[in-house]
Amino acid sequence: GWKDAISTTIINFNNEKMQITWAARELFPNENVSFSYTFNEGKHKVWKPCPTYLMDQDYNSGCLFKTEGPTLAISIRNSNGSEEFFSKILKSDFYIKPNRPENVTFFWKEDTVTVSCNKPERAVKCLRLELQYKSKFDKDWQSRTSKCCSVGEQGFDPRKCYSFRVRLKRLVPYCNVVNYSSDWEAETFWMNGTLLDSCDDDIKSQSNTVIVLSCLLAVLLVILILLILLCKWQRLQKSVMPAIPDPKYVFADLFNDHNGNFQEWIDKTDHAMVQTKLDYEEPECIIEAESQQEDEKNSDKQGPQEKIFSFSRAAENNDPKAAQIACLMPTSNTIASFAGFQILMNDDMYVML
């Protein structure tokens, strides 16, 4: 009954090596079994002992040996080989597990990707090339299978980063009785036809770009706020504390021509004013001065509309021989200039400035 109860796993690695395994601890808990095999057919079989045992807690649990033909016979016996526990004859070609695809290339054209690999030396018709891909926004892999050894897919977004992996599969049940596929080729990362180390680089680059732009905007905003505050502060400063004029600019000739020597500057300024007064002649209004009594009578007769004034140039030019000059001036509020002096007239009050 053991011959029917024993379950084995048979793998033919690319028709190069065979691996037979069994559950040693469950099937033979108290005995360490032996394994033998042969690729010869007919009555005269030559059994070979297992060259390499696979161990499970010091118990033989499998055997690894070279593939030497399409027909394989195996036998599991007790430790000394006197009693057979299990035997089987099988076609080794129906248990082939292919190797990984070699020299995988990616060809990008707009939104279409074509993946290809080298053709195996044999059994190409039994092989299919499987492509799986997903973006950073996908949870599950998307799969596409085609004949060996090229497969294409459309609809890739150039703004997304994709992960790709490929493997070879054996057709079931035409070529294999077990659905064996090769191990996955190393995963690669692509974005718009550019090979990346990982899709994390794309996320980091985008996050770095966002950080840089945010910092620039923050700096520009701070500068704008500072400029606004500076303008308002200057306005407030002018309204609260008005600027004191610099005498250097008001009296430019004092500082530029006389180096701040006030006495030299005032002497020269007085001399210039005297020369200006000498050159100026006031037009005569009345040639002959009247007596004070006549002035009072005339003023009473004429009323408050006109007044007669006399000024002596002797007060200005220190000239005792200067003639008296009188001008007829209106009595309303008037400001008149005479020989460098200003006279404010308001009714009967006259003030010399």
Side-chain angles (χ1 to χ4, degrees), residues 17 50 68 85 107 139 147 201 220 222 237 278 282 319:
K17 287 186 178 182
C50 177
E68 299 175 359
F85 297 145
F107 176 73
K139 295 182 179 180
K147 293 181 180 181
D201 297 339
L220 292 176
V222 170
Q237 189 176 19
L278 290 175
E282 188 75 20
D319 188 358

Side-chain angles (χ1 to χ4, degrees), residues 106-109 111-115 151-154 156 164:
F106 290 80
F107 176 73
W108 288 75
K109 185 177 181 181
D111 66 338
T112 303
V113 179
T114 303
V115 183
V151 58
E153 185 62 37
Q154 297 179 342
F156 290 96
F164 291 92

Side-chain angles (χ1 to χ4, degrees), residues 222-233:
V222 170
I223 293 175
L224 180 61
I225 293 174
L226 290 177
L227 290 175
I228 294 174
L229 292 177
L230 180 61
C231 293
K232 290 189 174 183
W233 169 251

Side-chain angles (χ1 to χ4, degrees), residues 47-312:
W47 293 93
K48 296 180 181 180
C50 177
T52 304
Y53 277 105
L54 303 177
M55 307 300 293
D56 180 14
Q57 297 182 3
D58 297 333
Y59 284 88
N60 296 334
S61 62
C63 181
L64 186 63
F65 54 94
K66 184 179 179 181
T67 304
E68 299 175 359
T71 303
L72 172 65
I74 60 176
S75 176
I76 298 177
R77 297 175 177 268
N78 58 2
S79 59
N80 56 16
S82 59
E83 183 181 357
E84 186 179 69
F85 297 145
F86 176 77
S87 65
K88 186 176 182 179
I89 299 175
L90 53 93
K91 290 290 185 180
S92 60
D93 292 345
F94 288 169
Y95 296 88
I96 293 178
K97 178 178 180 179
N99 288 339
R100 292 178 179 179
E102 297 179 354
N103 193 22
V104 179
T105 57
F106 290 80
F107 176 73
W108 288 75
K109 185 177 181 181
E110 297 179 354
D111 66 338
T112 303
V113 179
T114 303
V115 183
S116 59
C117 67
N118 291 346
K119 288 185 178 182
E121 296 179 358
R122 51 191 173 184
V124 177
K125 293 182 179 180
C126 290
L127 295 175
R128 293 292 181 267
L129 182 63
E130 182 182 8
L131 169 67
Q132 286 191 348
Y133 61 90
K134 68 176 180 178
S135 70
K136 58 186 179 182
F137 303 102
D138 299 327
K139 295 182 179 180
D140 300 324
W141 289 93
Q142 308 295 320
S143 184
R144 182 84 166 85
T145 304
S146 182
K147 293 181 180 181
C148 187
C149 292
S150 179
V151 58
E153 185 62 37
Q154 297 179 342
F156 290 96
D157 190 344
R159 297 170 298 180
K160 295 181 181 179
C161 179
Y162 291 90
S163 304
F164 291 92
R165 63 182 185 181
V166 293
R167 67 179 178 180
L168 291 173
K169 298 178 65 175
R170 289 274 293 188
L171 288 177
V172 177
Y174 305 103
C175 299
N176 264 33
V177 295
V178 182
N179 188 12
Y180 282 148
S181 302
S182 70
D183 294 334
W184 290 104
E185 180 62 16
E187 187 175 349
T188 56
F189 307 92
W190 295 81
M191 181 177 179
N192 196 19
T194 302
L195 181 64
L196 304 176
D197 293 335
S198 68
C199 284
D200 294 337
D201 297 339
D202 175 46
I203 299 175
K204 290 179 181 179
S205 63
Q206 292 181 356
S207 62
N208 291 336
T209 303
V210 172
I211 291 173
V212 171
L213 292 176
S214 301
C215 292
L216 290 176
L217 290 175
V219 170
L220 292 176
L221 182 60
V222 170
I223 293 175
L224 180 61
I225 293 174
L226 290 177
L227 290 175
I228 294 174
L229 292 177
L230 180 61
C231 293
K232 290 189 174 183
W233 169 251
Q234 289 179 350
R235 292 180 181 179
L236 180 63
Q237 189 176 19
K238 287 181 180 180
S239 61
V240 176
M241 295 179 292
I244 300 174
D246 190 350
K248 182 178 180 180
Y249 301 101
V250 178
F251 305 99
D253 53 347
L254 172 62
F255 293 95
N256 295 335
D257 300 338
H258 304 284
N259 295 326
N261 190 333
F262 180 79
Q263 187 62 42
E264 180 181 345
W265 173 76
I266 196 64
D267 291 342
K268 186 175 181 180
T269 303
D270 290 344
H271 179 69
M273 291 179 63
V274 170
Q275 293 295 329
T276 302
K277 293 175 183 178
L278 290 175
D279 294 338
Y280 177 79
E281 293 183 0
E282 188 75 20
E284 294 185 355
C285 295
I286 299 176
I287 300 175
E288 186 177 355
E290 301 292 338
S291 61
Q292 183 177 1
Q293 293 179 355
E294 292 177 352
D295 290 341
E296 291 178 357
K297 292 178 179 180
N298 291 334
S299 61
D300 294 338
K301 292 179 180 180
Q302 294 176 358
Q305 295 181 356
E306 295 181 349
K307 294 288 183 178
I308 297 177
F309 301 92
S310 62
F311 299 92
S312 175

Side-chain angles (χ1 to χ4, degrees), residues 324-341:
Q324 290 184 348
I325 301 174
C327 295
L328 185 64
M329 307 294 287
T331 58
S332 58
N333 293 346
T334 307
I335 297 178
S337 296
F338 179 76
F341 294 94

